[in-house]
Amino acid sequence: MKYLILGAGPAGLSFANRLLQNGIDDFLVLEKEDEAGGLCRSRDIGGSPLDIGGGHFLDVRDKEVLDFLFGFMPRELWDGYERDSRIAVGDNIINSPIEANIWQMKIKDQVEYLKAIAVAGCNLGKPMPDKFVDWIYWKLGDKIAEDYMIPYNKKMFGEDLNELGTYWLNKLPNVSFDETLISCLEKKAYGTQPGHAKFFYPKEFGYGELWLRLAKALGSRIRYGEKAKKLDIDGRCVNDTYKADIIINTVPWTAIDRIDGLDEDLAGGLKKLKHSSVVIEYIDEQLDTPAHWIYYPDPGLDYHRILVRHNFCPGSRGYWTETNLTRFDKSGKDEDNYHINEYAYPLNTTGKQEFMKELLDRTRTKGIYGLGRWGEWQHYNSDVVVARAIRLADELR
Ligand SMILES: Cc1cc2nc3c(=O)[nH]c(=O)nc-3n(C[C@H](O)[C@H](O)[C@H](O)COP(=O)(O)OP(=O)(O)OC[C@H]3O[C@@H](n4cnc5c(N)ncnc54)[C@H](O)[C@@H]3O)c2cc1C
């Protein structure tokens, strides 16, 4: 065949649908699960849809991407929301991001936080460090570092935060000390807001419905229950069966049991790629909060975020938690109420950017293209993955 696509998550589904839109139908998608959608799948739990890959909200900046997605699930099937996300820090529950909302804390806490930010490295003109933990202290001061950023990120990504680099931190909100001060004086948030300031969520479905529709449009061109176990790079062949002119890989490179034809340095580099796993658990309890989601840095709680479903999924009840698999204790829990996502976050370890560039540049010369969160090993949200899939399909046309 012309194209073989590994994985039917947002990346594989968008690439394949773009091929169809471009008049190409000589392709096949291989998916190891028995349904499409990857991390963006939903399931009915407690009488309503629940996103089993974690809290998923549609926030698209690129109009072409929005038109592409609304082409499968029209705008009228979505509700629009203004983000209400909160952080439980000490005995304060304030809006996120923390540095723009210190004004919501008790006055004595505001003073302590402001004093710490005033002497943070970045405000004293010190050079930016290249280790994640050092960067947190440098950027936000020791109060935010120790009360929120370090415990929260440890809960989410794992204990050794200094394995992570700083090249990805443009994803975090950027609020200057001046903006923090003004926000405390004027009692309102200042500075760049984090992602999803406004977002869409389906009116009657979970987020997974969008991707089921993209899958449906592909008909029998998806083969379910077919794990890519072996990739022969030079032969452009998968599982000794599927041969193609071009292979688009959207699955974690490290989830393919055997890759033949990879240069030794790349095979060695692959072993250093890291990821973290997240468990989503449904809790059948109504919470008295208007928040869509709340972050919990408290190391005494196993989860790091809760998603208050009844505030964005009309007619539903209950909430769900997100917990790093290493902190999740499944004993006594009903298996129908939780879902383990082994591949949740690609970790931004030092040296990863350079390695991924080398891997993708060299495999591309052999007709194998990495695409999406795992194919490129980047923290891409689904809208970014769709944009990259559309662009790649158009580029290869
Ligand atoms: C907790 C959490 C919250 C998130 N929140 C948001 C959000 O609010 N908004 C947003 O836009 N994005 C969000 N994201 C990101 C979003 O999940 C990803 O951008 C998106 O799922 C990436 O799509 P993908 O196709 O690249 O990867 P995936 O969704 O991971 O899909 C990969 C596919 O490959 C399949 N596969 C794996 N191994 C194999 C194999 N060997 N052979 C065949 N198939 C295989 C998998 O089953 C899966 O279907 C969030 C992610 C997480 C973890």
Side-chain angles (χ1 to χ4, degrees), residues 10-11 31-32 38-39 55-57 196 228 345 373-374 380-382:
E31 168 56 51
K32 77 174 167 62
L39 281 168
H56 276 82
F57 305 97
H196 304 337
Y345 291 98
R373 192 166 174 98
W374 302 106
Y380 293 147
N381 270 353
S382 56

Side-chain angles (χ1 to χ4, degrees), residues 14-72:
S14 303
F15 184 88
N17 272 289
R18 187 58 162 197
L19 289 182
L20 280 185
Q21 290 177 349
N22 289 344
I24 299 163
D25 65 358
D26 184 12
F27 66 84
L28 185 67
V29 184
L30 302 185
E31 168 56 51
K32 77 174 167 62
E33 301 290 340
D34 57 9
E35 59 182 351
L39 281 168
C40 295
R41 283 177 293 160
S42 308
R43 190 166 293 161
D44 258 37
I45 302 188
S48 300
L50 188 141
D51 299 339
I52 59 171
H56 276 82
F57 305 97
L58 182 66
D59 172 19
V60 185
R61 315 258 154 105
D62 179 333
K63 184 167 181 316
E64 190 184 10
V65 171
L66 198 60
D67 291 345
F68 176 84
L69 294 175
F70 282 172
F72 295 91

Side-chain angles (χ1 to χ4, degrees), residues 166 191 280 288 324 349 368 379 382:
T166 47
I280 307 307
D288 183 18
N324 188 308
T349 45
I368 319 269
H379 271 206
S382 56

Side-chain angles (χ1 to χ4, degrees), residues 335-348:
E335 276 187 26
D336 289 342
N337 278 348
Y338 67 83
H339 180 84
I340 298 175
N341 300 283
E342 194 205 327
Y343 284 90
Y345 291 98
L347 293 192
N348 286 316

Side-chain angles (χ1 to χ4, degrees), residues 234-345:
D234 294 316
R236 286 194 297 274
C237 183
V238 169
N239 295 353
D240 296 321
T241 306
Y242 304 100
K243 228 174 162 326
D245 294 345
I246 291 177
I247 296 179
I248 306 294
N249 178 36
T250 79
V251 315
W253 292 86
T254 51
I256 303 172
D257 304 336
R258 177 171 160 184
I259 304 183
D260 290 343
L262 208 55
D263 298 333
E264 227 171 86
D265 58 328
L266 295 180
L270 269 189
K271 293 194 184 122
K272 294 191 193 139
L273 286 179
K274 293 200 169 171
H275 65 277
S276 67
S277 310
V278 167
V279 187
I280 307 307
E281 184 185 9
Y282 174 62
I283 314 287
D284 185 21
E285 228 180 270
Q286 209 71 353
L287 294 181
D288 183 18
T289 170
H292 298 120
W293 63 89
I294 307 177
Y295 302 102
Y296 287 88
D298 179 356
L301 298 168
D302 53 2
Y303 52 82
H304 54 266
R305 181 165 80 138
I306 67 167
L307 286 298
V308 190
R309 175 168 78 168
H310 52 80
N311 289 335
F312 55 84
C313 186
S316 69
R317 54 173 283 110
Y319 64 95
W320 72 82
T321 58
E322 293 178 353
T323 309
N324 188 308
L325 180 59
T326 58
R327 302 173 59 86
F328 186 71
D329 179 6
K330 63 181 180 187
S331 49
K333 292 189 170 157
D334 179 351
E335 276 187 26
D336 289 342
N337 278 348
Y338 67 83
H339 180 84
I340 298 175
N341 300 283
E342 194 205 327
Y343 284 90
Y345 291 98

